[in-house]
């Protein structure tokens, strides 16, 4: 709903909430695939807890980022 209404902030909050659940279930790549494309819509200078969480996920070794338009191997499609 937030995406349809172009409310990026709320879309980020919802994606981060779901990503926290996924990360807590040892599904960090799924979490990053979920929150990565939404967090990419924001400037790096913005300081929001959800963006900090997304950045921390992206820095976990072995995880690959996905922008929503990535290769077919990306699980966010």
């Amino acid at each position: 709903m937030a995406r349809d209404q172009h409310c990026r902030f709320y879309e980020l909050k919802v994606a981060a909430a779901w990503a926290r659940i996924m990360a807590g279930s040892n599904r960090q790549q799924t979490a990053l695939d979920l929150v990565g494309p939404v967090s990419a819509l924001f400037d790096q200078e913005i300081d929001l807890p959800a963006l900090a969480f997304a950045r921390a996920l992206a820095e976990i070794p072995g995880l690959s980022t996905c922008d929503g338009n990535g290769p077919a191997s990306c699980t966010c499609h």
Side-chain angles (χ1 to χ4, degrees):
M1 183 184 289
R3 182 178 295 154
D4 292 341
Q5 295 179 1
H6 305 287
C7 296
R8 290 183 180 155
F9 174 73
Y10 290 109
E11 184 179 358
L12 174 66
K13 285 188 69 147
V14 170
W18 277 106
R20 286 182 195 279
I21 293 169
M22 295 293 114
S25 299
N26 203 26
R27 297 170 60 192
Q28 289 87 356
Q29 184 63 57
T30 303
L32 182 58
D33 292 347
L34 181 64
V35 78
V38 181
S39 66
L41 299 172
F42 291 84
D43 291 332
Q44 293 296 321
E45 294 82 34
I46 296 174
D47 187 26
L48 297 170
L51 286 174
F53 174 72
R55 291 180 195 125
L57 274 176
E59 293 182 8
I60 295 174
L63 297 185
S64 60
T65 58
C66 176
D67 62 4
N69 297 313
S73 62
C74 182
T75 59
C76 67
H77 297 273

